[in-house]
Structure formats: C-alpha cells, structure tokens
C-alpha cells in the first residue's frame, strides 16, 4: 500500500498527440456534451412535469436521463478541459473516484435498461395484468435495486483499483481512469486481478445483454398477435430500447470481456458508452415516440404561454 501512496498523480495520454485533432475533438465533444445535457434535461423535466411520470416506461426513462447526465459528467468535462492543455494530469484520489463513479453509474444504467425491458415485456406479453405487475411500488423497488446494483458492481472494482501498488511510470494510455489501463501501470502481477475484473464487468454486461436479447426476442415474437396499429406502436418503442442497448452494451462487452489488456482502439470504443450513447438517448426516445413528442410540446408550450401571460 505504501508504494501507491507515493504516486500523487497520473498522466493521461488522451486521445491523440496531434494538436489539430485535439482542437477538433474539443469543439466536437463540447457540442456533444452540451447537446447531451440539454437533451437529457429536456426529457427529465418534461416527464417530471407531465402525467407521463406516472407511467412506468417514462418513470424509468426519467431515471435513465438522470443517470446519463451523471455518468457522462464523470468523464466528459475533464476530457474537454484536457484537450486544451499539453500535460494532462489527474490526482490519485480523483483517479480512484473516477473509477468508482464510472462503474457505479454505468452499472446502474445497465440495471435500469433491464427494468425498462421488463416493463415492455409486461406491457406487451401480459397486457391484462400490466397495471398490477408494474404498480408504482414495484417500479420504485426496481429503481432502488438498480442503484443498489450499481453500487454492488462498483465497490469490488474500486477496492481492486485502490489496492493496486503503483511505482511508476505513471502514464495511463487513456483519456480517463479505468481499471484495465490502471492494471497496465501497476507494479505487481495483475493476472488474477484482471480475471476478477472480467467477472465483475465483462460477464455482468454479457449476461445482462443476453437477458435483454432474449426478452426482446419474446416481445417481438408476441407482437404477431397484435393489431397492425398495436404492432406499430410497440415496435416503435422496442426498437428505441434495442438501439440504446446495442450502442451501450456492444463497446462495453468488447472492452471488458477479454483478457486483461488494452488496445489503442479502446479509447474510440469507450467514446460510445461515455458520450455517444448518452447523447443519442434523448433523440432515440423522442424522435421515435409520438406520445413523448406530443407531451413535450404541451409542457413547453404551456410553460411559455404562462410566462408570456405573467409578463
């Protein structure tokens, strides 16, 4: 433990050494982050201020938007700031905090997506019992379980990271602190630790993805019994969920479900689940959802009208 206490900071190598690429990435990710915050806040406020909040699907969607904001904010602001400086550093304590928050919010998002899939399964496959199955008490329990699951997922990985000895060099070939890049610079045999990381991250993601894949397969199979209008509405919602699941789980499984090593491509794949997927979530869930678009227009038109009347 003494050896890593002497390591007060790490140097992040970032995405690229090319100054022009860094300037381009700064503008791109700044726009993406602003769009991400605006889109998810818009969904969050719209749902909270409308009757949709009492529907399980939108209740879970509001939590997903909140998690996306928290999740990407653990990485993106520092990434954007680092693109403007030559020497990108992060303190030891902030690095360990980043490991915990990344896996905490990432794990919570995985379990919220699972709860959303269960909600769609109940709505489409058990429509007569839907109100009973997805009552508010059960929805609350699922959300609490998702946050608790995120903590259970993150603590072992955080404990692993904080227990690693670091003697130098202190250069991390990534744009944020993650467990595999830290294993690469640790001055100890990390084979067993790497296997544990695969079990806690890679296998969790794979098993959850398979559960979601099977559940959506059952849902799509059940849709053949619905009317044409019912199939259209259900497919619109389901394809939105499936798109989010693929965008998030694909890169996660690629990075964490393999022998403990790192590749230069990891930084590109990590962009998908840290920035791209959270940014596209609002677009995916609103552009393909007529009910959501209608409610957003009502909420914001009413707000603007009330503001003009007051003035």
């Amino acid at each position: 433990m003494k050896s890593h206490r002497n390591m007060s900071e790490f140097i992040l190598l970032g995405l690229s050494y090319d100054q022009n690429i860094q300037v381009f990435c700064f503008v791109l990710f700044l726009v993406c982050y602003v769009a991400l915050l605006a889109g998810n806040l818009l969904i969050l406020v719209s749902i909270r201020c409308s009757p949709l909040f009492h529907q399980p699907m939108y209740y879970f969607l509001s939590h997903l938007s909140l998690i996306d904001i928290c999740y990407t904010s653990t990485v993106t602001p520092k990434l954007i700031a680092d693109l403007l400086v030559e020497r990108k550093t992060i303190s030891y304590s902030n690095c360990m905090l980043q490991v915990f928050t990344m896996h905490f919010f990432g794990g919570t998002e995985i379990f919220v997506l699972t709860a959303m899939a269960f909600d769609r399964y109940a709505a489409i496959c058990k429509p007569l019992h839907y109100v009973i199955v997805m009552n508010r008490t059960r929805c609350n329990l699922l959300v609490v379980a998702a946050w608790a699951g995120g903590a259970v997922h993150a603590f072992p990985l955080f404990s692993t990271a904080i227990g690693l000895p670091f003697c130098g060099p202190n250069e991390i070939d990534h744009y944020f602190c993650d467990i595999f890049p830290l294993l690469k610079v640790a001055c100890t045999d990390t084979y067993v630790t790497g296997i544990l990381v695969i079990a806690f991250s890679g296998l969790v993601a794979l098993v959850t993805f398979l559960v979601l894949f099977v559940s959506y397969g059952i849902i799509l199979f059940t849709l053949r019994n619905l009317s044409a209008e019912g199939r259209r509405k259900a497919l619109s919602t389901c394809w939105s969920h499936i798109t989010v699941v693929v965008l998030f789980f694909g890169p996660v499984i690629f990075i964490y479900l393999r022998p403990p090593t790192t590749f230069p491509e990891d930084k590109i794949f990590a962009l998908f689940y840290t920035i791209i997927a959270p940014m596209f979530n609002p677009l995916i869930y609103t552009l393909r959802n007529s009910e959501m678009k209608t409610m957003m227009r009502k909420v914001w038109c009413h707000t603007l009208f009330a503001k003009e009347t007051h003035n």
Side-chain angles (χ1 to χ4, degrees):
M1 294 292 288
K2 184 180 178 181
S3 60
H4 80 253
R5 295 295 180 189
N6 296 329
M7 190 74 70
S8 61
E9 67 177 19
F10 294 99
I11 298 173
L12 299 171
L13 299 185
L15 290 170
S16 173
Y17 295 106
D18 190 301
Q19 188 64 36
N20 293 327
I21 293 177
Q22 290 192 59
V23 172
F24 171 77
C25 288
F26 170 79
V27 175
L28 175 64
F29 295 144
L30 180 61
V31 172
C32 288
Y33 186 57
V34 171
L36 184 155
L37 291 179
N40 281 291
L41 283 172
L42 182 63
I43 285 183
L44 185 60
V45 174
S46 297
I47 292 175
R48 294 276 177 169
C49 296
S50 73
L52 291 180
F53 183 66
H54 301 289
Q55 297 183 30
M57 184 178 76
Y58 297 102
Y59 177 68
F60 293 132
L61 180 56
S62 68
H63 281 276
L64 182 65
S65 292
L66 174 62
I67 292 165
D68 277 338
I69 291 171
C70 297
Y71 180 55
T72 196
S73 294
T74 64
V75 170
T76 309
K78 173 148 183 66
L79 167 62
I80 294 171
D82 282 347
L83 289 168
L84 296 178
V85 298
E86 184 176 349
R87 192 170 184 268
K88 308 165 185 22
T89 62
I90 184 170
S91 68
Y92 174 84
S93 57
N94 285 340
C95 182
M96 295 301 113
L97 178 62
Q98 201 171 61
V99 170
F100 175 76
T101 53
M102 273 289 297
H103 287 280
F104 172 60
F105 291 118
T108 305
E109 176 150 348
I110 285 175
F111 296 121
V112 167
L113 287 172
T114 305
M116 293 175 74
F118 177 71
D119 169 69
R120 289 301 84 201
Y121 169 81
I124 295 170
C125 300
K126 307 288 183 183
L128 298 179
H129 302 94
Y130 178 70
V131 177
I132 299 173
V133 172
M134 296 305 296
N135 57 61
R136 182 43 63 99
T137 300
R138 182 158 295 168
C139 289
N140 289 335
L141 287 174
L142 286 171
V143 168
V144 171
W147 286 95
V152 170
H153 166 71
F155 269 114
L157 297 171
F158 173 70
S159 301
T160 297
I162 208 168
L164 291 172
F166 300 104
C167 330
N170 63 341
E171 292 184 343
I172 298 177
D173 189 14
H174 216 305
Y175 61 88
F176 67 93
C177 284
D178 200 7
I179 197 76
F180 277 167
L182 285 171
L183 290 180
K184 192 173 181 180
V185 298
C187 53
T188 186
D189 184 5
T190 59
Y191 178 78
V192 175
T193 306
I195 298 300
L196 292 175
V197 172
I198 293 173
F200 277 109
S201 289
L203 287 180
V204 168
L206 179 63
V207 170
T208 307
F209 178 76
L210 290 176
V211 169
L212 293 173
F213 182 81
V214 171
S215 68
Y216 280 117
I218 295 171
I219 289 170
L220 294 175
F221 182 76
T222 306
L223 288 179
R224 75 190 196 285
N225 299 321
L226 299 181
S227 64
E229 178 61 23
R231 279 199 301 270
R232 186 196 63 78
K233 186 175 180 181
L235 278 173
S236 177
T237 302
C238 285
W239 282 123
S240 298
H241 291 189
I242 291 170
T243 304
V244 170
V245 166
V246 171
L247 275 176
F248 185 81
F249 279 91
V252 168
I253 291 172
F254 172 80
I255 289 177
Y256 292 106
L257 195 67
R258 68 175 193 227
T261 185
T262 58
F263 297 113
E265 295 80 8
D266 288 354
K267 290 182 277 189
I268 304 301
F269 278 96
L271 291 173
F272 277 89
Y273 59 82
T274 57
I275 300 175
I276 296 174
M279 180 185 69
F280 277 108
N281 279 358
L283 293 174
I284 291 168
Y285 281 110
T286 54
L287 292 180
R288 296 184 62 87
N289 190 320
S290 57
E291 189 177 25
M292 185 70 192
K293 287 188 288 188
T294 301
M295 186 52 64
M296 287 174 68
R297 280 194 294 267
K298 287 181 179 179
V299 169
W300 293 104
C301 289
H302 176 75
T303 302
L304 292 173
F305 178 76
K307 186 176 180 181
E308 289 177 1
T309 304
H310 179 73
N311 291 336

